[in-house]
mmCIF file of all heavy atoms in Angstrom:
data_model
loop_
_atom_site.group_PDB
_atom_site.id
_atom_site.type_symbol
_atom_site.label_atom_id
_atom_site.label_comp_id
_atom_site.label_asym_id
_atom_site.label_seq_id
_atom_site.Cartn_x
_atom_site.Cartn_y
_atom_site.Cartn_z
ATOM 1 N N GLN A 1461 53.539 117.724 126.802
ATOM 2 C CA GLN A 1461 54.978 117.484 126.622
ATOM 3 C C GLN A 1461 55.504 118.088 125.328
ATOM 4 O O GLN A 1461 56.631 118.555 125.262
ATOM 5 C CB GLN A 1461 55.265 115.967 126.584
ATOM 6 C CG GLN A 1461 54.803 115.198 127.796
ATOM 7 C CD GLN A 1461 55.491 115.669 129.063
ATOM 8 O OE1 GLN A 1461 56.683 115.950 129.069
ATOM 9 N NE2 GLN A 1461 54.723 115.791 130.144
ATOM 10 N N GLU A 1462 54.692 118.030 124.275
ATOM 11 C CA GLU A 1462 55.198 118.356 122.937
ATOM 12 C C GLU A 1462 54.855 119.767 122.490
ATOM 13 O O GLU A 1462 55.337 120.219 121.454
ATOM 14 C CB GLU A 1462 54.619 117.365 121.907
ATOM 15 C CG GLU A 1462 54.831 115.886 122.244
ATOM 16 C CD GLU A 1462 56.247 115.429 121.925
ATOM 17 O OE1 GLU A 1462 56.941 116.119 121.152
ATOM 18 O OE2 GLU A 1462 56.666 114.382 122.459
ATOM 19 N N GLY A 1463 53.976 120.446 123.215
ATOM 20 C CA GLY A 1463 53.523 121.767 122.775
ATOM 21 C C GLY A 1463 52.340 121.622 121.832
ATOM 22 O O GLY A 1463 51.628 120.638 121.887
ATOM 23 N N GLY A 1464 52.158 122.589 120.947
ATOM 24 C CA GLY A 1464 50.994 122.528 120.050
ATOM 25 C C GLY A 1464 49.913 123.474 120.549
ATOM 26 O O GLY A 1464 49.812 123.717 121.749
ATOM 27 N N ASN A 1465 49.123 123.981 119.634
ATOM 28 C CA ASN A 1465 48.037 124.898 119.982
ATOM 29 C C ASN A 1465 46.900 124.123 120.653
ATOM 30 O O ASN A 1465 46.297 123.242 120.041
ATOM 31 C CB ASN A 1465 47.555 125.596 118.700
ATOM 32 C CG ASN A 1465 46.420 126.549 118.975
ATOM 33 O OD1 ASN A 1465 45.370 126.169 119.498
ATOM 34 N ND2 ASN A 1465 46.632 127.802 118.643
ATOM 35 N N LEU A 1466 46.632 124.461 121.909
ATOM 36 C CA LEU A 1466 45.681 123.656 122.706
ATOM 37 C C LEU A 1466 44.255 123.699 122.172
ATOM 38 O O LEU A 1466 43.533 122.703 122.253
ATOM 39 C CB LEU A 1466 45.691 124.120 124.149
ATOM 40 C CG LEU A 1466 46.560 123.303 125.096
ATOM 41 C CD1 LEU A 1466 46.308 123.723 126.537
ATOM 42 C CD2 LEU A 1466 46.309 121.786 124.937
ATOM 43 N N LEU A 1467 43.854 124.840 121.606
ATOM 44 C CA LEU A 1467 42.490 124.921 121.077
ATOM 45 C C LEU A 1467 42.352 124.017 119.854
ATOM 46 O O LEU A 1467 41.376 123.265 119.727
ATOM 47 C CB LEU A 1467 42.128 126.375 120.715
ATOM 48 C CG LEU A 1467 40.700 126.546 120.195
ATOM 49 C CD1 LEU A 1467 39.674 126.220 121.282
ATOM 50 C CD2 LEU A 1467 40.463 127.962 119.651
ATOM 51 N N VAL A 1468 43.341 124.049 118.962
ATOM 52 C CA VAL A 1468 43.294 123.203 117.765
ATOM 53 C C VAL A 1468 43.363 121.723 118.154
ATOM 54 O O VAL A 1468 42.612 120.884 117.630
ATOM 55 C CB VAL A 1468 44.436 123.570 116.779
ATOM 56 C CG1 VAL A 1468 44.505 122.585 115.623
ATOM 57 C CG2 VAL A 1468 44.256 124.996 116.260
ATOM 58 N N VAL A 1469 44.227 121.400 119.103
ATOM 59 C CA VAL A 1469 44.341 120.006 119.561
ATOM 60 C C VAL A 1469 42.989 119.536 120.127
ATOM 61 O O VAL A 1469 42.502 118.445 119.802
ATOM 62 C CB VAL A 1469 45.461 119.861 120.622
ATOM 63 C CG1 VAL A 1469 45.376 118.535 121.350
ATOM 64 C CG2 VAL A 1469 46.835 120.017 119.966
ATOM 65 N N THR A 1470 42.364 120.382 120.942
ATOM 66 C CA THR A 1470 41.106 119.994 121.579
ATOM 67 C C THR A 1470 39.977 119.842 120.558
ATOM 68 O O THR A 1470 39.286 118.813 120.539
ATOM 69 C CB THR A 1470 40.715 121.045 122.654
ATOM 70 O OG1 THR A 1470 41.790 121.160 123.582
ATOM 71 C CG2 THR A 1470 39.450 120.653 123.375
ATOM 72 N N LEU A 1471 39.814 120.841 119.696
ATOM 73 C CA LEU A 1471 38.721 120.766 118.711
ATOM 74 C C LEU A 1471 38.978 119.653 117.699
ATOM 75 O O LEU A 1471 38.057 118.928 117.293
ATOM 76 C CB LEU A 1471 38.569 122.107 117.980
ATOM 77 C CG LEU A 1471 38.129 123.303 118.836
ATOM 78 C CD1 LEU A 1471 38.084 124.571 117.988
ATOM 79 C CD2 LEU A 1471 36.771 123.045 119.487
ATOM 80 N N GLY A 1472 40.227 119.487 117.302
ATOM 81 C CA GLY A 1472 40.576 118.431 116.338
ATOM 82 C C GLY A 1472 40.285 117.052 116.919
ATOM 83 O O GLY A 1472 39.701 116.187 116.256
ATOM 84 N N ALA A 1473 40.686 116.841 118.185
ATOM 85 C CA ALA A 1473 40.434 115.541 118.823
ATOM 86 C C ALA A 1473 38.928 115.299 118.918
ATOM 87 O O ALA A 1473 38.430 114.210 118.625
ATOM 88 C CB ALA A 1473 41.083 115.497 120.208
ATOM 89 N N LEU A 1474 38.183 116.334 119.306
ATOM 90 C CA LEU A 1474 36.732 116.162 119.470
ATOM 91 C C LEU A 1474 36.031 115.862 118.148
ATOM 92 O O LEU A 1474 35.065 115.102 118.106
ATOM 93 C CB LEU A 1474 36.124 117.423 120.105
ATOM 94 C CG LEU A 1474 36.357 117.605 121.606
ATOM 95 C CD1 LEU A 1474 35.905 118.987 122.053
ATOM 96 C CD2 LEU A 1474 35.617 116.524 122.401
ATOM 97 N N LEU A 1475 36.523 116.435 117.058
ATOM 98 C CA LEU A 1475 35.795 116.318 115.783
ATOM 99 C C LEU A 1475 36.388 115.270 114.832
ATOM 100 O O LEU A 1475 35.847 115.060 113.746
ATOM 101 C CB LEU A 1475 35.763 117.692 115.085
ATOM 102 C CG LEU A 1475 34.872 118.748 115.764
ATOM 103 C CD1 LEU A 1475 35.208 120.148 115.267
ATOM 104 C CD2 LEU A 1475 33.391 118.435 115.515
ATOM 105 N N HIS A 1476 37.468 114.588 115.235
ATOM 106 C CA HIS A 1476 38.209 113.779 114.249
ATOM 107 C C HIS A 1476 37.403 112.614 113.669
ATOM 108 O O HIS A 1476 37.681 112.157 112.571
ATOM 109 C CB HIS A 1476 39.550 113.298 114.827
ATOM 110 C CG HIS A 1476 39.469 112.042 115.633
ATOM 111 N ND1 HIS A 1476 39.115 112.025 116.961
ATOM 112 C CD2 HIS A 1476 39.669 110.747 115.300
ATOM 113 C CE1 HIS A 1476 39.123 110.789 117.400
ATOM 114 N NE2 HIS A 1476 39.444 109.971 116.413
ATOM 115 N N ASP A 1477 36.420 112.109 114.411
ATOM 116 C CA ASP A 1477 35.627 110.964 113.919
ATOM 117 C C ASP A 1477 34.157 111.342 113.787
ATOM 118 O O ASP A 1477 33.282 110.476 113.931
ATOM 119 C CB ASP A 1477 35.737 109.775 114.894
ATOM 120 C CG ASP A 1477 36.911 108.865 114.575
ATOM 121 O OD1 ASP A 1477 37.335 108.841 113.403
ATOM 122 O OD2 ASP A 1477 37.402 108.183 115.495
ATOM 123 N N ILE A 1478 33.881 112.601 113.497
ATOM 124 C CA ILE A 1478 32.497 113.068 113.535
ATOM 125 C C ILE A 1478 31.621 112.328 112.521
ATOM 126 O O ILE A 1478 30.433 112.125 112.743
ATOM 127 C CB ILE A 1478 32.419 114.619 113.347
ATOM 128 C CG1 ILE A 1478 31.037 115.136 113.683
ATOM 129 C CG2 ILE A 1478 32.839 115.063 111.962
ATOM 130 C CD1 ILE A 1478 30.685 115.054 115.128
ATOM 131 N N ALA A 1479 32.217 111.880 111.419
ATOM 132 C CA ALA A 1479 31.469 111.041 110.463
ATOM 133 C C ALA A 1479 32.476 110.151 109.757
ATOM 134 O O ALA A 1479 32.956 110.467 108.682
ATOM 135 C CB ALA A 1479 30.714 111.909 109.467
ATOM 136 N N ASP A 1480 32.825 109.034 110.407
ATOM 137 C CA ASP A 1480 33.794 108.105 109.835
ATOM 138 C C ASP A 1480 33.254 107.536 108.518
ATOM 139 O O ASP A 1480 32.109 107.075 108.458
ATOM 140 C CB ASP A 1480 34.046 106.978 110.842
ATOM 141 C CG ASP A 1480 35.262 106.146 110.468
ATOM 142 O OD1 ASP A 1480 35.288 105.621 109.333
ATOM 143 O OD2 ASP A 1480 36.182 106.025 111.293
ATOM 144 N N ALA A 1481 34.092 107.570 107.486
ATOM 145 C CA ALA A 1481 33.667 107.104 106.158
ATOM 146 C C ALA A 1481 33.179 105.656 106.180
ATOM 147 O O ALA A 1481 32.313 105.266 105.397
ATOM 148 C CB ALA A 1481 34.827 107.250 105.166
ATOM 149 N N LYS A 1482 33.734 104.868 107.111
ATOM 150 C CA LYS A 1482 33.321 103.458 107.233
ATOM 151 C C LYS A 1482 31.813 103.335 107.386
ATOM 152 O O LYS A 1482 31.221 102.367 106.957
ATOM 153 C CB LYS A 1482 33.944 102.851 108.503
ATOM 154 C CG LYS A 1482 35.265 102.167 108.280
ATOM 155 C CD LYS A 1482 35.613 101.235 109.417
ATOM 156 C CE LYS A 1482 36.269 101.859 110.632
ATOM 157 N NZ LYS A 1482 36.975 103.088 110.529
ATOM 158 N N PHE A 1483 31.226 104.343 108.059
ATOM 159 C CA PHE A 1483 29.807 104.252 108.354
ATOM 160 C C PHE A 1483 28.985 105.168 107.456
ATOM 161 O O PHE A 1483 27.832 105.445 107.714
ATOM 162 C CB PHE A 1483 29.577 104.534 109.842
ATOM 163 C CG PHE A 1483 30.499 103.717 110.709
ATOM 164 C CD1 PHE A 1483 31.505 104.311 111.434
ATOM 165 C CD2 PHE A 1483 30.389 102.330 110.725
ATOM 166 C CE1 PHE A 1483 32.389 103.542 112.198
ATOM 167 C CE2 PHE A 1483 31.260 101.551 111.481
ATOM 168 C CZ PHE A 1483 32.264 102.157 112.219
ATOM 169 N N HIS A 1484 29.632 105.672 106.394
ATOM 170 C CA HIS A 1484 28.934 106.495 105.408
ATOM 171 C C HIS A 1484 29.244 106.004 103.997
ATOM 172 O O HIS A 1484 29.649 106.773 103.137
ATOM 173 C CB HIS A 1484 29.289 107.977 105.571
ATOM 174 C CG HIS A 1484 28.734 108.562 106.828
ATOM 175 N ND1 HIS A 1484 29.359 108.462 108.043
ATOM 176 C CD2 HIS A 1484 27.570 109.219 107.065
ATOM 177 C CE1 HIS A 1484 28.620 109.045 108.978
ATOM 178 N NE2 HIS A 1484 27.531 109.503 108.403
ATOM 179 N N GLN A 1485 29.082 104.708 103.799
ATOM 180 C CA GLN A 1485 29.327 104.072 102.490
ATOM 181 C C GLN A 1485 30.678 104.480 101.906
ATOM 182 O O GLN A 1485 30.827 104.656 100.700
ATOM 183 C CB GLN A 1485 28.209 104.411 101.483
ATOM 184 C CG GLN A 1485 26.855 103.773 101.784
ATOM 185 C CD GLN A 1485 26.074 104.592 102.812
ATOM 186 O OE1 GLN A 1485 26.037 105.816 102.738
ATOM 187 N NE2 GLN A 1485 25.479 103.917 103.771
ATOM 188 N N GLY A 1486 31.670 104.631 102.768
ATOM 189 C CA GLY A 1486 33.016 104.944 102.288
ATOM 190 C C GLY A 1486 33.213 106.408 101.905
ATOM 191 O O GLY A 1486 34.305 106.797 101.497
ATOM 192 N N ASP A 1487 32.181 107.223 102.059
ATOM 193 C CA ASP A 1487 32.285 108.629 101.648
ATOM 194 C C ASP A 1487 33.136 109.433 102.640
ATOM 195 O O ASP A 1487 32.746 109.631 103.790
ATOM 196 C CB ASP A 1487 30.876 109.234 101.547
ATOM 197 C CG ASP A 1487 30.899 110.630 100.942
ATOM 198 O OD1 ASP A 1487 31.973 111.264 100.909
ATOM 199 O OD2 ASP A 1487 29.822 111.078 100.489
ATOM 200 N N GLU A 1488 34.290 109.918 102.181
ATOM 201 C CA GLU A 1488 35.213 110.612 103.083
ATOM 202 C C GLU A 1488 34.952 112.112 103.174
ATOM 203 O O GLU A 1488 35.673 112.833 103.863
ATOM 204 C CB GLU A 1488 36.661 110.350 102.642
ATOM 205 C CG GLU A 1488 37.075 108.930 102.978
ATOM 206 C CD GLU A 1488 38.332 108.468 102.273
ATOM 207 O OE1 GLU A 1488 39.161 109.317 101.908
ATOM 208 O OE2 GLU A 1488 38.467 107.251 102.075
ATOM 209 N N SER A 1489 33.927 112.601 102.469
ATOM 210 C CA SER A 1489 33.688 114.051 102.494
ATOM 211 C C SER A 1489 32.662 114.459 103.548
ATOM 212 O O SER A 1489 32.509 115.639 103.853
ATOM 213 C CB SER A 1489 33.222 114.520 101.113
ATOM 214 O OG SER A 1489 31.953 113.959 100.833
ATOM 215 N N VAL A 1490 31.964 113.460 104.123
ATOM 216 C CA VAL A 1490 30.879 113.790 105.060
ATOM 217 C C VAL A 1490 31.422 114.437 106.337
ATOM 218 O O VAL A 1490 30.937 115.502 106.763
ATOM 219 C CB VAL A 1490 30.048 112.529 105.425
ATOM 220 C CG1 VAL A 1490 28.884 112.894 106.333
ATOM 221 C CG2 VAL A 1490 29.530 111.839 104.173
ATOM 222 N N GLY A 1491 32.448 113.800 106.950
ATOM 223 C CA GLY A 1491 33.001 114.311 108.215
ATOM 224 C C GLY A 1491 33.491 115.751 108.104
ATOM 225 O O GLY A 1491 33.073 116.621 108.887
ATOM 226 N N PRO A 1492 34.390 116.027 107.131
ATOM 227 C CA PRO A 1492 34.870 117.410 106.995
ATOM 228 C C PRO A 1492 33.744 118.422 106.797
ATOM 229 O O PRO A 1492 33.788 119.526 107.346
ATOM 230 C CB PRO A 1492 35.757 117.340 105.741
ATOM 231 C CG PRO A 1492 36.219 115.924 105.697
ATOM 232 C CD PRO A 1492 35.098 115.098 106.253
ATOM 233 N N LYS A 1493 32.700 118.030 106.075
ATOM 234 C CA LYS A 1493 31.606 118.984 105.807
ATOM 235 C C LYS A 1493 30.821 119.287 107.095
ATOM 236 O O LYS A 1493 30.542 120.441 107.417
ATOM 237 C CB LYS A 1493 30.671 118.429 104.723
ATOM 238 C CG LYS A 1493 29.471 119.310 104.524
ATOM 239 C CD LYS A 1493 28.812 119.205 103.178
ATOM 240 C CE LYS A 1493 27.678 120.202 102.976
ATOM 241 N NZ LYS A 1493 27.327 121.071 104.099
ATOM 242 N N ILE A 1494 30.500 118.225 107.848
ATOM 243 C CA ILE A 1494 29.756 118.416 109.102
ATOM 244 C C ILE A 1494 30.581 119.288 110.059
ATOM 245 O O ILE A 1494 30.058 120.198 110.704
ATOM 246 C CB ILE A 1494 29.431 117.057 109.755
ATOM 247 C CG1 ILE A 1494 28.455 116.263 108.867
ATOM 248 C CG2 ILE A 1494 28.857 117.236 111.153
ATOM 249 C CD1 ILE A 1494 28.133 114.875 109.366
ATOM 250 N N ALA A 1495 31.895 119.008 110.128
ATOM 251 C CA ALA A 1495 32.753 119.765 111.045
ATOM 252 C C ALA A 1495 32.828 121.230 110.620
ATOM 253 O O ALA A 1495 32.718 122.136 111.454
ATOM 254 C CB ALA A 1495 34.154 119.151 111.070
ATOM 255 N N ARG A 1496 32.976 121.486 109.317
ATOM 256 C CA ARG A 1496 33.070 122.868 108.836
ATOM 257 C C ARG A 1496 31.775 123.637 109.142
ATOM 258 O O ARG A 1496 31.813 124.741 109.665
ATOM 259 C CB ARG A 1496 33.383 122.915 107.334
ATOM 260 C CG ARG A 1496 33.549 124.341 106.803
ATOM 261 C CD ARG A 1496 33.899 124.371 105.321
ATOM 262 N NE ARG A 1496 35.245 123.882 105.028
ATOM 263 C CZ ARG A 1496 36.356 124.599 105.199
ATOM 264 N NH1 ARG A 1496 36.291 125.832 105.650
ATOM 265 N NH2 ARG A 1496 37.527 124.074 104.910
ATOM 266 N N ASP A 1497 30.637 123.008 108.837
ATOM 267 C CA ASP A 1497 29.354 123.666 109.101
ATOM 268 C C ASP A 1497 29.215 124.012 110.584
ATOM 269 O O ASP A 1497 28.798 125.113 110.940
ATOM 270 C CB ASP A 1497 28.180 122.771 108.679
ATOM 271 C CG ASP A 1497 28.083 122.662 107.159
ATOM 272 O OD1 ASP A 1497 28.781 123.439 106.469
ATOM 273 O OD2 ASP A 1497 27.315 121.809 106.663
ATOM 274 N N PHE A 1498 29.592 123.054 111.435
ATOM 275 C CA PHE A 1498 29.472 123.306 112.871
ATOM 276 C C PHE A 1498 30.392 124.458 113.300
ATOM 277 O O PHE A 1498 29.963 125.393 113.991
ATOM 278 C CB PHE A 1498 29.800 122.044 113.689
ATOM 279 C CG PHE A 1498 29.947 122.335 115.149
ATOM 280 C CD1 PHE A 1498 28.821 122.577 115.929
ATOM 281 C CD2 PHE A 1498 31.204 122.440 115.727
ATOM 282 C CE1 PHE A 1498 28.951 122.910 117.280
ATOM 283 C CE2 PHE A 1498 31.340 122.774 117.077
ATOM 284 C CZ PHE A 1498 30.211 123.003 117.851
ATOM 285 N N LEU A 1499 31.664 124.400 112.883
ATOM 286 C CA LEU A 1499 32.628 125.414 113.328
ATOM 287 C C LEU A 1499 32.256 126.802 112.796
ATOM 288 O O LEU A 1499 32.440 127.806 113.478
ATOM 289 C CB LEU A 1499 34.045 125.017 112.893
ATOM 290 C CG LEU A 1499 34.596 123.762 113.600
ATOM 291 C CD1 LEU A 1499 35.882 123.282 112.931
ATOM 292 C CD2 LEU A 1499 34.848 124.029 115.087
ATOM 293 N N GLN A 1500 31.697 126.833 111.582
ATOM 294 C CA GLN A 1500 31.251 128.125 111.042
ATOM 295 C C GLN A 1500 30.083 128.670 111.866
ATOM 296 O O GLN A 1500 30.027 129.863 112.158
ATOM 297 C CB GLN A 1500 30.857 127.987 109.566
ATOM 298 C CG GLN A 1500 32.084 128.117 108.663
ATOM 299 C CD GLN A 1500 31.812 127.761 107.206
ATOM 300 O OE1 GLN A 1500 30.750 127.211 106.878
ATOM 301 N NE2 GLN A 1500 32.774 128.044 106.336
ATOM 302 N N SER A 1501 29.191 127.765 112.271
ATOM 303 C CA SER A 1501 28.041 128.214 113.076
ATOM 304 C C SER A 1501 28.497 128.748 114.434
ATOM 305 O O SER A 1501 27.785 129.494 115.091
ATOM 306 C CB SER A 1501 27.031 127.069 113.257
ATOM 307 O OG SER A 1501 27.499 126.166 114.240
ATOM 308 N N GLU A 1502 29.699 128.364 114.848
ATOM 309 C CA GLU A 1502 30.257 128.855 116.122
ATOM 310 C C GLU A 1502 31.184 130.057 115.906
ATOM 311 O O GLU A 1502 31.903 130.465 116.831
ATOM 312 C CB GLU A 1502 31.040 127.732 116.810
ATOM 313 C CG GLU A 1502 30.187 126.573 117.311
ATOM 314 C CD GLU A 1502 29.411 126.927 118.580
ATOM 315 O OE1 GLU A 1502 29.890 127.734 119.385
ATOM 316 O OE2 GLU A 1502 28.291 126.394 118.741
#
Side-chain angles (χ1 to χ4, degrees):
Q1461 303 298 320
E1462 307 282 342
N1465 179 302
L1466 262 189
L1467 182 65
V1468 173
V1469 166
T1470 304
L1471 295 177
L1474 284 171
L1475 290 163
H1476 85 276
D1477 271 335
I1478 192 69
D1480 193 304
K1482 267 198 276 337
F1483 310 112
H1484 291 84
Q1485 291 83 43
D1487 188 342
E1488 287 165 26
S1489 66
V1490 183
K1493 174 156 185 357
I1494 294 176
R1496 182 178 290 281
D1497 289 349
F1498 169 75
L1499 293 169
Q1500 275 170 349
S1501 77
E1502 292 285 329

